[in-house]
Amino acid sequence: MVNKHIWMIWGLGVSCLSAPVLAIALDSPFGTNGIDAFKLHKPPYNLTGRKVAIGQVEIGRPGQFGLDKAVSKNRSVSLAGVFLRNGLAKSNSGVDPHAYNVASVMVSTNKALPGIAPQARLYSSAVGSGKNLGQPDECMSAQHIAGQNGGDIRAINFSFGEPLNRDPRPSAVLDGKALLTMCIDWSSRVHDTLYLIAGNQGKGGIPIPTDNYNGMNVAFSSRRGGIFNKVDVSNLAAVSEGLAVRLAGKEINLGPRRAIALVAPGNNITLLNPDGKLNKVTGTSFAAPQVTATVALLQEFGDRQLRTKRTNWSVDSRRHQVMKAVLMNSTDKIRDMGNGLYLGMTRTLIDKLNKDWFDSDAYKNPKIPLDAQMGTGHLHAFRAYQQFSAGQWNPAQSVPNMGWDYRTVNAQSYVDYTIAKPLQQGSFVAITLSWDRLVELNDKNNNNQFDAGEDFRDRGLNNLDLHLVKADAKEDTESAAVCSSISDVDSVEHIFCPVPTTGNYKIRVQYRQKVNEATQPYALAWWTLGVR
């Protein structure tokens, strides 16, 4: 926690450890019992984030060896660049253990406690603390990071947030209109980078910018029986159930729109401190960077595919909407029994009341794509690699059982993806659709950058729907759909449903209602099981 009257940071609970290093490594949330990212470090994958640039924005920053005394005896976290807002960092200024812990999740090269993407290029900006600093400074910091590495930053981590009581708007609510929230959605589109936001909504949280549309908010899990498979009880996730709940805890999204995208480990995990000693930490602060670093691993693979000119691969693999769809579609929900019907998922994730996906309103109600606590499920880096490596497929031809695409759909129209092989009765299909809210910069000086005194214009969210339909279905989607995700308010749609009868099916992306532009870019990821 940094200056609680100004900023609050999720999850800084630390205590020194003396456990054997080997036990710590085996217990890592980045390994088999967590997100299974370490498998990707090894042959034949050899993915460590090489040459991929990612970013970090916080109140403070990690120390850089050679610049800051705090890390003079510890070279484990190497940084590509450190900044104070949109300028170079000053020696021994703004260095923060919390930011160092977060950075170590991503890029630690310590042999006993390696990060998820130890060879990624991490750029970090400290916003700084002070009464006069706020959302404009945070936006400029994010913009500055997004411009690093020649403007090629694949993901940016936010392990901090703004409380509503510091928002200058009168009677501020989480309606997506806060300056920092609109900045995130604008930057996602113009810089084409995926923002990973730590934090949950609830009473007393740090909710801004968790009401974003174009990034991903990350909740955190704890262990049961050694496996990260339960939404941690301290996650502040609230479900709006009318005025009474909103008055009791107003820090939840206005209306029915859900906040959490997915869950990653965050309870009682061991990380490095600037002095090289070990800390046990808890919070969403340490879950979000696991997703950010997983993006680096996937992007290294994608760039490798581009260099070797692989078929069914294009620069669309770098788009933030594609990463979002891939990560959300490949999560764990219900453990597979070995027959593949649950798509090889490795764990059953349960919420704070010990209920699983099948108990959730997201499973039962097609208008609700995301569970309030779980999003689409638990991050699994290796499954995300499997989803991503299946490649990009054009709906002009039939598509395989697994894949992704980036394309556009026109208003009052739809795009169909016909799956080549019949689907197995009783098997589940996972399909995720992602698209952006359109936020534009009110650029007073026409320099294409956000500057102090400028703001943003919210042009709203076009309404897209997602359906699984029989391959011989006619034009009438409503009667032909086997499963649907038809939220009126979310920027993702997600289907996880059983195939009713063995047969041929197609995925339909439907542009139902135009709010801004008549052509809407989208990303789609799907994972199904063909008949045996």
Side-chain angles (χ1 to χ4, degrees):
M1 188 171 287
V2 177
N3 193 344
K4 68 180 181 180
H5 298 295
I6 296 178
W7 282 287
M8 290 173 283
I9 295 182
W10 281 108
L12 187 54
V14 297
S15 60
C16 286
L17 272 182
S18 58
V21 166
L22 179 60
I24 292 168
L26 290 173
D27 198 33
S28 173
F30 315 152
T32 308
N33 292 338
I35 68 169
D36 208 12
F38 285 159
K39 184 185 293 184
L40 294 171
H41 291 186
K42 301 171 185 175
Y45 315 106
N46 301 310
L47 298 172
T48 54
R50 287 177 201 84
K51 298 183 179 179
V52 175
I54 54 178
Q56 175 187 20
V57 179
E58 291 192 44
I59 303 307
R61 63 169 178 85
Q64 185 177 44
F65 187 84
L67 181 69
D68 302 304
K69 291 179 182 177
V71 292
S72 60
K73 297 179 182 179
N74 180 12
R75 298 190 183 202
S76 294
V77 172
S78 179
L79 301 163
V82 287
F83 306 96
L84 174 62
R85 294 186 288 281
N86 55 358
L88 290 174
K90 297 174 183 176
S91 179
N92 302 312
S93 176
V95 179
D96 175 43
H98 179 275
Y100 191 92
N101 291 152
V102 171
S104 74
V105 170
M106 299 185 273
V107 297
S108 168
T109 57
N110 184 286
K111 289 183 179 179
L113 284 176
I116 292 165
Q119 291 188 283
R121 298 172 56 81
L122 178 62
Y123 295 85
S124 181
S125 176
V127 176
S129 59
K131 284 190 293 187
N132 297 323
L133 296 174
Q135 293 181 50
D137 307 280
E138 293 157 6
C139 180
M140 280 190 278
S141 300
Q143 174 181 253
H144 186 67
I145 290 296
Q148 299 306 305
N149 198 50
D152 184 16
I153 300 287
R154 307 295 170 90
I156 296 177
N157 194 84
F158 262 53
S159 282
F160 79 104
E162 280 279 323
L164 272 169
N165 62 17
R166 270 183 50 89
D167 190 280
R169 298 172 298 159
S171 303
V173 292
L174 290 187
D175 56 1
K177 307 282 191 184
L179 186 140
L180 181 59
T181 300
M182 291 207 284
C183 174
I184 295 298
D185 282 354
W186 167 77
S187 177
S188 297
R189 180 175 60 83
V190 301
H191 299 118
D192 195 14
T193 190
L194 181 61
Y195 280 86
L196 287 313
I197 312 295
N200 306 270
Q201 299 173 354
K203 191 175 182 180
I206 48 168
I208 298 169
T210 63
D211 54 339
N212 72 85
Y213 286 77
N214 303 346
M216 295 172 67
N217 300 324
V218 185
F220 74 101
S221 62
S222 54
R223 298 175 181 89
R224 286 186 323 152
I227 299 170
F228 285 93
N229 61 5
K230 181 172 183 175
V231 178
D232 193 275
V233 293
S234 58
N235 280 274
L236 289 173
V239 180
S240 175
E241 295 173 351
L243 185 61
V245 170
R246 191 164 302 285
L247 291 174
K250 64 181 180 178
E251 296 179 346
I252 55 177
N253 278 345
L254 197 66
R257 185 166 68 96
R258 293 287 162 87
I260 299 300
L262 48 66
V263 180
N267 177 281
N268 207 27
I269 63 177
T270 305
L271 297 174
L272 281 173
N273 251 7
D275 60 6
K277 293 181 180 178
L278 306 181
N279 262 344
K280 273 207 169 180
V281 297
T282 291
T284 49
S285 280
F286 315 107
Q290 295 178 52
V291 191
T292 308
T294 297
V295 170
L297 300 184
L298 298 180
Q299 288 296 303
E300 181 190 356
F301 173 78
D303 287 355
R304 186 187 297 168
Q305 298 292 88
L306 289 169
R307 280 196 309 273
T308 54
K309 296 181 168 56
R310 297 300 173 95
T311 55
N312 299 107
W313 211 266
S314 80
V315 291
D316 288 336
S317 62
R318 294 176 174 172
R319 295 188 182 272
H320 67 278
Q321 302 99 318
V322 170
M323 280 291 92
K324 185 174 177 179
V326 163
L327 289 163
M328 293 179 72
N329 204 58
S330 56
T331 55
D332 279 329
K333 290 181 180 66
I334 302 291
R335 186 182 177 193
D336 192 274
M337 293 295 102
N339 55 17
L341 297 182
Y342 293 147
L343 307 177
M345 294 181 179
T346 66
R347 86 199 84 192
T348 296
L349 180 66
I350 58 173
D351 68 12
K352 291 187 280 188
L353 297 176
N354 297 321
K355 297 191 174 189
D356 65 25
W357 186 265
F358 292 141
D359 297 317
S360 73
D361 54 6
Y363 179 63
K364 298 168 184 174
N365 187 344
K367 283 189 170 289
I368 301 176
L370 305 174
D371 181 82
Q373 296 179 35
M374 297 187 282
T376 64
H378 199 286
L379 174 68
H380 194 291
F382 186 74
R383 283 177 54 79
Y385 163 82
Q386 290 177 294
Q387 175 75 75
F388 193 43
S389 64
Q392 181 177 15
W393 296 88
N394 190 324
Q397 301 167 327
S398 58
V399 302
N401 287 102
M402 186 192 302
W404 56 267
D405 191 27
Y406 178 85
R407 207 155 295 276
T408 59
V409 61
N410 295 323
Q412 309 305 316
S413 183
Y414 59 79
V415 179
D416 279 353
Y417 294 76
T418 301
I419 301 169
K421 293 181 179 178
L423 300 186
Q424 176 74 44
Q425 180 179 3
S427 69
F428 276 70
V429 298
I431 316 169
T432 303
L433 178 68
S434 169
W435 70 103
D436 282 349
R437 172 172 71 147
L438 181 56
V439 174
E440 295 175 340
L441 173 65
N442 290 322
D443 191 7
K444 294 177 182 176
N445 58 3
N446 295 313
N447 68 348
N448 297 315
Q449 290 190 357
F450 171 78
D451 299 297
E454 293 181 340
D455 57 11
F456 298 93
R457 176 188 175 202
D458 175 17
R459 293 192 55 202
L461 180 73
N462 288 327
N463 190 2
L464 272 57
D465 286 341
L466 180 63
H467 308 275
L468 180 71
V469 299
K470 287 284 189 72
D472 58 359
K474 306 301 180 194
E475 295 273 334
D476 184 6
T477 300
E478 301 305 321
S479 61
V482 172
C483 308
S484 297
S485 181
I486 53 171
S487 169
D488 294 323
V489 294
D490 294 277
S491 58
V492 296
E493 300 287 4
H494 179 71
I495 287 173
F496 183 70
C497 76
V499 176
T501 57
T502 297
N504 294 104
Y505 292 85
K506 56 189 177 185
I507 299 162
R508 178 166 292 175
V509 175
Q510 187 171 33
Y511 187 164
R512 186 151 61 90
Q513 183 182 7
K514 182 175 86 72
V515 173
N516 45 68
E517 303 294 333
T519 300
Q520 178 61 57
Y522 68 85
L524 181 73
W526 65 92
W527 191 323
T528 65
L529 180 68
V531 70
R532 292 156 176 169

